[in-house]
Amino acid sequence: MRAFFALLLAFFALAPAHAQEPATTFIQAGRLLADPATGRVLSAHTIVVRAGRIVDIREGYVGEGEGEVIDLRDRFVLPGLIDSHVHICHENGPDDRVRRTVQTAADLAMDGVHYARVTLEAGFTTVADMGEENDAIFALRDGIARGRVPGPRILAAGNALSPHGGPGDPAGYRPDVGHVLRRPSLCSGADDCRRVTRETIHRGADHIKITATGSVLSDIASGLGQQFTDDEMAAIVETAHALGRRVTAHAHDAAAINAFLRAGGDSIEHGTNLDAESVRLMRERGAWLVPTLLAGETVTRWGNDPNSFLSPAIRDKALRVGPRMIESTRRAHQGGVRIAFGTDASVSRHGENAREFGLLVRAGLTPLEAIRTATVNAAEHLGLADTIGSIAAGKAADIIAVDGDPLADVAALERVAFVMRDGRIHRR
Ligand SMILES: [Zn+2]
């Protein structure tokens, strides 16, 4: 018996192992911020990558003759960036109203393929999509995961949940046209919201996004206050958590932010008018704030344009929200609230996501703190801390490089020179 096993072992040892053995890639990094949590910058190290994973970080420049060597000796190397709030299948603009009536799900998927590539090439190797007009996002997410099209790893909400008449209910259309555009994610009353939560997860949602308050870009003058009731939000959170999904809320006014946090919600998108109680609740519950300052900057610019394409209702809300966001983020940060990076790209242009870093610094974060929001923080916020967010053995090989030193000037992150996702190179 023993001899048999010895023979078996010998057979496997003699088998042409390197025929199946995946190739090894050696990334020689001049400067390396492997773990933004510590902030320690290593010089002259080599990251060893095999089968899409990081297997080792070695001192010095090694790997010549052992596999593919990537020379990033004159670059600054860091983990792939994470944007926790995008809408990757479209971009907002003057033709929004017509676009919604003519674009099919297939059209949105095609645009999503383009925007996904642009986003990945900008160094964002993971994004969380916070709501689309239909289920095209699931096809895009799965196509990228299968390697059919290049793009960031996507976590998708599908349709955002909204009350009837709320931000998810198309406004500003002829009633019969508006009716056709209605999404299946509207609900009214706790029981109905439980049903819609279950159905959204059943269709493929990785997380649940709700619109707790009015929103800037819906064409209706119904304010920025709470729209889902306390019991509707509690029903959604309870149902989603029971099915293993996080819940995040689009929320501008404080009453809704606080009601959602008391209902057990996991994170707040925008948080424009958060107050001292919001800060207290977010800290107490470990809830994340996703500030989306780039969206604030964009709608402020649109609102101040004398030839603005915004309708009067939208323009009024844009100028009430946009200019306030930096200040509320500063307040949350000073209060010790955990911040995860998110841009709301679709309001801003896809691929310009890294402009958010400069705005976070304007809100009082140090460059290192801003980088943490898009790496270790966002990874934890999205429940992927074991897989992404830092460069460490066992994690996905999501690695980017920039020119210059982003710890001295975060704008360096707007000039990405190298992108690898899951071990595949997408820019060099
Ligand atoms: Zn959004």
Side-chain angles (χ1 to χ4, degrees):
M1 199 62 186
R2 232 199 174 116
F4 170 74
F5 278 118
L7 208 67
L8 203 67
L9 266 171
F11 172 77
F12 281 111
L14 289 173
H18 51 265
Q20 288 111 318
E21 201 174 274
T24 305
T25 304
F26 298 85
I27 301 172
Q28 300 179 338
R31 278 169 300 162
L32 172 62
L33 178 63
D35 185 2
T38 68
R40 199 166 144 235
V41 179
L42 306 169
S43 304
H45 275 63
T46 302
I47 307 162
V48 185
V49 171
R50 196 178 299 130
R53 299 252 150 197
I54 296 155
V55 294
D56 199 8
I57 299 173
R58 294 191 203 153
E59 232 175 288
Y61 296 132
V62 302
E64 302 292 346
E66 293 179 64
E68 187 190 5
V69 172
I70 295 166
D71 179 357
L72 300 175
R73 295 180 187 194
D74 57 358
R75 311 267 197 215
F76 190 106
V77 177
L78 65 161
L81 303 172
I82 304 163
D83 190 329
S84 325
H85 189 142
V86 302
H87 305 272
I88 208 156
C89 291
H90 68 279
E91 276 181 359
N92 293 105
D95 64 344
D96 269 347
R97 193 182 297 198
V98 173
R99 185 185 57 73
R100 286 194 199 100
T101 64
V102 297
Q103 273 200 315
T104 63
D107 292 325
L108 282 163
M110 290 297 150
D111 283 355
V113 166
H114 171 71
Y115 295 133
R117 182 175 55 73
V118 164
T119 301
L120 178 62
E121 288 174 356
F124 287 81
T125 48
T126 302
V127 299
D129 193 281
M130 283 299 149
E132 297 290 347
E133 286 151 31
N134 53 49
D135 286 353
I137 186 65
F138 297 136
L140 180 63
R141 173 194 65 189
D142 298 345
I144 290 170
R146 288 199 307 273
R148 295 297 196 210
V149 290
R153 182 182 294 101
I154 294 179
L155 301 181
N159 296 127
L161 271 62
S162 162
H164 289 89
D169 206 349
Y173 294 91
R174 220 172 72 184
D176 50 342
V177 173
H179 189 76
V180 169
L181 298 175
R182 272 198 158 169
R183 302 164 201 172
S185 57
L186 304 180
C187 64
S188 293
D191 272 345
D192 194 35
C193 289
R194 285 189 187 94
R195 174 184 65 79
V196 166
T197 305
R198 293 184 189 115
E199 286 179 354
T200 302
I201 294 167
H202 186 252
R203 284 212 313 281
D206 298 305
H207 51 262
I208 291 293
K209 153 87 178 299
I210 76 164
T211 50
T213 69
S215 86
V216 171
L217 293 183
S218 59
D219 192 7
I220 182 168
S222 54
L224 298 159
Q226 184 170 343
Q227 296 202 358
F228 266 130
T229 60
D230 292 10
D231 66 326
E232 286 167 337
M233 291 198 282
I236 293 167
V237 170
E238 183 193 51
T239 306
H241 283 177
L243 297 174
R245 299 298 192 278
R246 295 169 300 100
V247 187
T248 192
H250 156 107
H252 291 300
D253 281 359
I257 293 170
N258 300 347
F260 177 71
L261 292 166
R262 288 195 196 95
D266 301 293
S267 48
I268 298 291
E269 313 290 322
H270 318 306
T272 310
N273 294 321
L274 54 82
D275 63 10
E277 175 67 356
S278 317
V279 170
R280 192 191 68 76
L281 282 166
M282 280 196 264
R283 280 193 57 169
E284 178 188 285
R285 287 151 197 253
W288 295 91
L289 174 67
V290 181
T292 72
L293 302 176
L294 191 49
E297 187 206 70
T298 306
V299 300
T300 303
R301 180 163 44 80
W302 287 346
N304 284 327
D305 179 354
N307 301 311
S308 182
F309 67 87
L310 302 179
S311 74
I314 294 177
R315 188 174 183 172
D316 173 67
K317 289 183 287 180
L319 292 176
R320 278 199 279 148
V321 164
R324 300 196 58 144
M325 281 185 156
I326 292 219
E327 223 27 64
S328 52
T329 300
R330 183 191 308 281
R331 208 165 163 188
H333 178 59
Q334 282 174 351
V337 170
R338 303 198 294 173
I339 294 175
F341 185 100
T343 58
D344 211 354
S346 78
V347 180
S348 60
R349 302 191 58 166
H350 296 290
E352 295 183 2
N353 314 55
R355 288 181 54 222
E356 180 84 11
F357 288 107
L359 299 171
L360 288 167
V361 168
R362 262 170 59 193
L365 280 73
T366 65
L368 176 61
E369 285 172 335
I371 291 169
R372 280 183 189 139
T373 69
T375 52
V376 282
N377 288 15
E380 191 182 337
H381 160 53
L382 298 177
L384 294 174
D386 292 341
T387 315
I388 56 173
S390 65
I391 297 173
K395 287 201 170 180
D398 289 6
I399 297 163
I400 67 164
V402 300
D403 288 320
D405 181 356
L407 294 175
D409 174 18
V410 273
L413 295 166
E414 295 172 34
R415 300 181 295 274
V416 170
F418 172 84
V419 179
M420 171 182 274
R421 203 212 87 215
D422 281 321
R424 273 176 71 171
I425 297 167
H426 293 278
R427 181 169 200 162
R428 74 194 297 182

